[in-house]
mmCIF file of all heavy atoms in Angstrom:
data_model
loop_
_atom_site.group_PDB
_atom_site.id
_atom_site.type_symbol
_atom_site.label_atom_id
_atom_site.label_comp_id
_atom_site.label_asym_id
_atom_site.label_seq_id
_atom_site.Cartn_x
_atom_site.Cartn_y
_atom_site.Cartn_z
ATOM 1 N N ASN T 236 66.324 10.110 33.380
ATOM 2 C CA ASN T 236 66.081 8.743 34.011
ATOM 3 C C ASN T 236 65.283 8.924 35.199
ATOM 4 O O ASN T 236 65.750 9.454 36.233
ATOM 5 C CB ASN T 236 67.419 8.080 34.252
ATOM 6 C CG ASN T 236 67.286 6.602 34.645
ATOM 7 O OD1 ASN T 236 66.144 6.217 34.976
ATOM 8 N ND2 ASN T 236 68.373 5.925 34.697
ATOM 9 N N LEU T 237 64.044 8.461 35.270
ATOM 10 C CA LEU T 237 63.177 8.514 36.400
ATOM 11 C C LEU T 237 63.548 7.492 37.485
ATOM 12 O O LEU T 237 63.138 7.570 38.575
ATOM 13 C CB LEU T 237 61.732 8.372 36.079
ATOM 14 C CG LEU T 237 61.018 9.539 35.420
ATOM 15 C CD1 LEU T 237 59.541 9.205 35.128
ATOM 16 C CD2 LEU T 237 61.145 10.768 36.259
ATOM 17 N N ARG T 238 64.362 6.517 37.132
ATOM 18 C CA ARG T 238 64.748 5.484 38.128
ATOM 19 C C ARG T 238 65.938 5.933 38.991
ATOM 20 O O ARG T 238 66.317 5.254 39.897
ATOM 21 C CB ARG T 238 65.090 4.221 37.386
ATOM 22 C CG ARG T 238 63.903 3.596 36.746
ATOM 23 C CD ARG T 238 64.206 2.167 36.243
ATOM 24 N NE ARG T 238 62.970 1.535 35.906
ATOM 25 C CZ ARG T 238 62.787 0.816 34.842
ATOM 26 N NH1 ARG T 238 63.799 0.545 33.993
ATOM 27 N NH2 ARG T 238 61.599 0.268 34.587
ATOM 28 N N GLU T 239 66.463 7.091 38.666
ATOM 29 C CA GLU T 239 67.603 7.676 39.429
ATOM 30 C C GLU T 239 67.246 9.071 39.827
ATOM 31 O O GLU T 239 66.556 9.751 39.118
ATOM 32 C CB GLU T 239 68.891 7.636 38.664
ATOM 33 C CG GLU T 239 69.399 6.280 38.324
ATOM 34 C CD GLU T 239 70.574 6.340 37.398
ATOM 35 O OE1 GLU T 239 71.020 7.468 36.986
ATOM 36 O OE2 GLU T 239 71.116 5.291 37.124
ATOM 37 N N PHE T 242 63.569 13.135 44.411
ATOM 38 C CA PHE T 242 62.223 13.507 44.073
ATOM 39 C C PHE T 242 61.685 14.432 45.185
ATOM 40 O O PHE T 242 62.154 14.338 46.329
ATOM 41 C CB PHE T 242 61.360 12.294 43.945
ATOM 42 C CG PHE T 242 61.691 11.489 42.705
ATOM 43 C CD1 PHE T 242 62.589 10.436 42.766
ATOM 44 C CD2 PHE T 242 61.117 11.824 41.528
ATOM 45 C CE1 PHE T 242 62.951 9.696 41.628
ATOM 46 C CE2 PHE T 242 61.445 11.095 40.342
ATOM 47 C CZ PHE T 242 62.299 10.034 40.437
ATOM 48 N N SER T 272 56.567 13.101 41.339
ATOM 49 C CA SER T 272 56.935 12.562 42.664
ATOM 50 C C SER T 272 56.908 11.074 42.589
ATOM 51 O O SER T 272 56.226 10.450 41.786
ATOM 52 C CB SER T 272 56.024 13.136 43.757
ATOM 53 O OG SER T 272 54.669 12.846 43.420
ATOM 54 N N LEU T 273 57.701 10.472 43.353
ATOM 55 C CA LEU T 273 57.890 9.013 43.511
ATOM 56 C C LEU T 273 56.829 8.478 44.484
ATOM 57 O O LEU T 273 56.724 8.927 45.621
ATOM 58 C CB LEU T 273 59.289 8.659 44.010
ATOM 59 C CG LEU T 273 59.593 7.167 44.218
ATOM 60 C CD1 LEU T 273 59.571 6.443 42.869
ATOM 61 C CD2 LEU T 273 60.927 7.055 44.874
ATOM 62 N N ILE T 274 56.041 7.556 43.993
ATOM 63 C CA ILE T 274 54.996 6.852 44.865
ATOM 64 C C ILE T 274 55.666 5.550 45.389
ATOM 65 O O ILE T 274 55.650 5.343 46.567
ATOM 66 C CB ILE T 274 53.709 6.563 44.050
ATOM 67 C CG1 ILE T 274 53.057 7.839 43.638
ATOM 68 C CG2 ILE T 274 52.747 5.726 44.946
ATOM 69 C CD1 ILE T 274 51.847 7.621 42.785
ATOM 70 N N SER T 275 56.144 4.761 44.492
ATOM 71 C CA SER T 275 56.849 3.544 44.871
ATOM 72 C C SER T 275 57.773 3.163 43.714
ATOM 73 O O SER T 275 57.894 3.918 42.714
ATOM 74 C CB SER T 275 55.850 2.396 45.156
ATOM 75 O OG SER T 275 55.127 2.017 43.984
ATOM 76 N N LYS T 276 58.491 2.012 43.843
ATOM 77 C CA LYS T 276 59.407 1.664 42.734
ATOM 78 C C LYS T 276 58.626 1.557 41.416
ATOM 79 O O LYS T 276 57.677 0.835 41.319
ATOM 80 C CB LYS T 276 59.964 0.315 43.129
ATOM 81 C CG LYS T 276 61.107 -0.163 42.136
ATOM 82 C CD LYS T 276 61.673 -1.482 42.455
ATOM 83 C CE LYS T 276 62.753 -1.923 41.580
ATOM 84 N NZ LYS T 276 62.380 -2.332 40.285
ATOM 85 N N ASP T 277 59.169 2.252 40.469
ATOM 86 C CA ASP T 277 58.575 2.313 39.094
ATOM 87 C C ASP T 277 57.178 2.860 39.048
ATOM 88 O O ASP T 277 56.426 2.555 38.094
ATOM 89 C CB ASP T 277 58.638 0.938 38.465
ATOM 90 C CG ASP T 277 60.079 0.515 38.138
ATOM 91 O OD1 ASP T 277 60.985 1.344 38.097
ATOM 92 O OD2 ASP T 277 60.325 -0.679 37.941
ATOM 93 N N LEU T 278 56.733 3.609 40.001
ATOM 94 C CA LEU T 278 55.416 4.244 40.067
ATOM 95 C C LEU T 278 55.535 5.701 40.400
ATOM 96 O O LEU T 278 56.034 5.973 41.492
ATOM 97 C CB LEU T 278 54.495 3.465 40.935
ATOM 98 C CG LEU T 278 52.995 3.882 40.920
ATOM 99 C CD1 LEU T 278 52.335 3.717 39.618
ATOM 100 C CD2 LEU T 278 52.267 3.171 42.003
ATOM 101 N N PHE T 279 55.105 6.601 39.559
ATOM 102 C CA PHE T 279 55.296 8.014 39.756
ATOM 103 C C PHE T 279 53.984 8.719 39.622
ATOM 104 O O PHE T 279 53.072 8.324 38.874
ATOM 105 C CB PHE T 279 56.320 8.562 38.808
ATOM 106 C CG PHE T 279 57.656 7.916 38.901
ATOM 107 C CD1 PHE T 279 57.944 6.762 38.123
ATOM 108 C CD2 PHE T 279 58.637 8.350 39.700
ATOM 109 C CE1 PHE T 279 59.134 6.073 38.233
ATOM 110 C CE2 PHE T 279 59.835 7.756 39.811
ATOM 111 C CZ PHE T 279 60.109 6.611 39.063
ATOM 112 N N ARG T 280 53.859 9.882 40.278
ATOM 113 C CA ARG T 280 52.692 10.812 40.138
ATOM 114 C C ARG T 280 53.177 12.061 39.436
ATOM 115 O O ARG T 280 54.163 12.635 39.865
ATOM 116 C CB ARG T 280 51.999 11.068 41.462
ATOM 117 C CG ARG T 280 50.920 12.180 41.270
ATOM 118 C CD ARG T 280 49.891 12.154 42.288
ATOM 119 N NE ARG T 280 49.262 10.965 42.588
ATOM 120 C CZ ARG T 280 48.281 10.293 41.906
ATOM 121 N NH1 ARG T 280 47.905 10.898 40.805
ATOM 122 N NH2 ARG T 280 47.712 9.199 42.273
ATOM 123 N N VAL T 311 49.248 9.157 36.649
ATOM 124 C CA VAL T 311 50.273 8.199 37.108
ATOM 125 C C VAL T 311 51.190 7.859 35.971
ATOM 126 O O VAL T 311 50.725 7.699 34.810
ATOM 127 C CB VAL T 311 49.600 6.942 37.723
ATOM 128 C CG1 VAL T 311 50.636 5.881 38.037
ATOM 129 C CG2 VAL T 311 48.743 7.260 38.900
ATOM 130 N N ILE T 312 52.496 7.767 36.223
ATOM 131 C CA ILE T 312 53.482 7.416 35.184
ATOM 132 C C ILE T 312 54.009 6.007 35.548
ATOM 133 O O ILE T 312 54.431 5.766 36.649
ATOM 134 C CB ILE T 312 54.630 8.397 35.159
ATOM 135 C CG1 ILE T 312 54.153 9.849 34.790
ATOM 136 C CG2 ILE T 312 55.700 7.960 34.167
ATOM 137 C CD1 ILE T 312 55.172 10.853 35.000
ATOM 138 N N LYS T 313 53.879 5.144 34.569
ATOM 139 C CA LYS T 313 54.428 3.764 34.703
ATOM 140 C C LYS T 313 55.295 3.382 33.548
ATOM 141 O O LYS T 313 55.229 4.003 32.451
ATOM 142 C CB LYS T 313 53.243 2.765 34.747
ATOM 143 C CG LYS T 313 52.390 2.939 35.948
ATOM 144 C CD LYS T 313 51.220 1.893 35.966
ATOM 145 C CE LYS T 313 50.394 1.994 37.162
ATOM 146 N NZ LYS T 313 49.276 1.037 37.176
ATOM 147 N N ASP T 314 56.149 2.337 33.770
ATOM 148 C CA ASP T 314 57.065 1.924 32.659
ATOM 149 C C ASP T 314 56.262 1.260 31.545
ATOM 150 O O ASP T 314 55.219 0.613 31.822
ATOM 151 C CB ASP T 314 58.042 0.943 33.207
ATOM 152 C CG ASP T 314 59.151 0.702 32.233
ATOM 153 O OD1 ASP T 314 59.035 -0.131 31.288
ATOM 154 O OD2 ASP T 314 60.244 1.372 32.350
ATOM 155 N N ASP T 316 56.866 -1.197 29.821
ATOM 156 C CA ASP T 316 56.878 -2.672 29.804
ATOM 157 C C ASP T 316 55.730 -3.239 30.646
ATOM 158 O O ASP T 316 55.381 -4.414 30.448
ATOM 159 C CB ASP T 316 58.224 -3.128 30.384
ATOM 160 C CG ASP T 316 59.404 -2.742 29.527
ATOM 161 O OD1 ASP T 316 59.151 -2.591 28.286
ATOM 162 O OD2 ASP T 316 60.535 -2.706 30.015
ATOM 163 N N LEU T 317 55.140 -2.413 31.495
ATOM 164 C CA LEU T 317 54.030 -2.870 32.333
ATOM 165 C C LEU T 317 52.701 -2.716 31.704
ATOM 166 O O LEU T 317 51.636 -3.090 32.255
ATOM 167 C CB LEU T 317 54.038 -2.183 33.740
ATOM 168 C CG LEU T 317 55.307 -2.320 34.508
ATOM 169 C CD1 LEU T 317 55.191 -1.368 35.715
ATOM 170 C CD2 LEU T 317 55.550 -3.722 34.928
ATOM 171 N N LEU T 333 60.964 4.519 31.522
ATOM 172 C CA LEU T 333 61.375 5.317 32.693
ATOM 173 C C LEU T 333 62.827 5.718 32.631
ATOM 174 O O LEU T 333 63.226 6.702 33.268
ATOM 175 C CB LEU T 333 61.023 4.567 33.896
ATOM 176 C CG LEU T 333 59.529 4.319 34.179
ATOM 177 C CD1 LEU T 333 59.332 3.610 35.499
ATOM 178 C CD2 LEU T 333 58.747 5.630 34.172
ATOM 179 N N GLU T 334 63.647 4.907 31.927
ATOM 180 C CA GLU T 334 65.104 5.283 31.850
ATOM 181 C C GLU T 334 65.352 6.379 30.889
ATOM 182 O O GLU T 334 66.361 7.100 31.045
ATOM 183 C CB GLU T 334 65.880 4.017 31.474
ATOM 184 C CG GLU T 334 65.972 3.015 32.658
ATOM 185 C CD GLU T 334 66.875 1.875 32.341
ATOM 186 O OE1 GLU T 334 67.769 2.031 31.396
ATOM 187 O OE2 GLU T 334 66.728 0.833 33.004
#
Side-chain angles (χ1 to χ4, degrees):
N236 189 347
L237 284 181
R238 291 190 170 139
E239 297 176 352
F242 291 93
S272 54
L273 178 66
I274 297 174
S275 66
K276 183 181 185 285
D277 292 341
L278 185 64
F279 302 88
R280 172 156 312 280
V311 174
I312 299 171
K313 294 182 180 179
D314 194 276
D316 294 337
L317 301 175
L333 296 179
E334 289 185 20

